[in-house]
Amino acid sequence: RPPTDADAEAAPLPDPPQTPWASEPMVADPPSDALRAWLDTPVGERGPLDHADIHTIMITPELGLDPDIVGPLWHDADSRLVEPTGEYEGAEAIRAHLAAKRANRTSLTLEQVGPPLFNGSCTSFEWVARAPGQQSGGVRGASVCRYRDGMIVYAADYYDTA
């Protein structure tokens, strides 16, 4: 076992770097013509989307939080959703969870913290969820979504549940 320097003096650790980004309403690029056509298609007839269009959906709260919009995008056989409150595998389990979550969700405002990231097959973004009228504080979180063949195969939301 290596010797310890328990009595040695050391310089204090520096403060962590500060991120200069401010919260702002989440705003995505306008939907593409293909995404607009997909949104106008009846839910049961919607097929896969271009990954850039899925990215637009996921970072647009009124779209990304709507299970009727996101539900059809989950890969039927190979999909997983991870949240602090549980993990769900398979499109049917995920769709059921999202529908139940919508039924129990109060009206929240999501504000983006910093720019969303997208590399063609993965989206990640930070956000703050606030109750109506709440100007500061809230729950800060991050989301990561992975896509394959025009479908969502993995998504994880990280936030404090305390």
Side-chain angles (χ1 to χ4, degrees), residues 40-130:
D40 289 337
T41 302
V43 173
E45 299 173 20
R46 292 177 178 165
L49 273 175
D50 178 87
H51 293 177
D53 287 329
I54 301 174
H55 167 77
T56 298
I57 287 172
M58 298 311 288
I59 66 168
T60 307
E62 61 270 16
L63 301 176
L65 295 174
D66 186 335
D68 292 334
I69 293 174
V70 177
L73 291 172
W74 286 94
H75 191 282
D76 284 329
D78 186 19
S79 56
R80 183 172 184 207
L81 172 63
V82 179
E83 295 187 333
T85 56
E87 295 187 22
Y88 308 88
E89 298 219 17
E92 287 305 314
I94 293 169
R95 290 178 189 129
H97 167 70
L98 294 176
K101 192 173 177 180
R102 175 176 57 181
N104 294 324
R105 183 176 57 232
T106 58
S107 177
L108 292 176
T109 300
L110 287 182
E111 295 178 3
Q112 186 172 310
V113 179
L117 304 174
F118 176 61
N119 71 359
S121 63
C122 183
T123 295
S124 63
F125 56 97
E126 292 181 77
W127 45 265
V128 174
R130 293 193 174 106

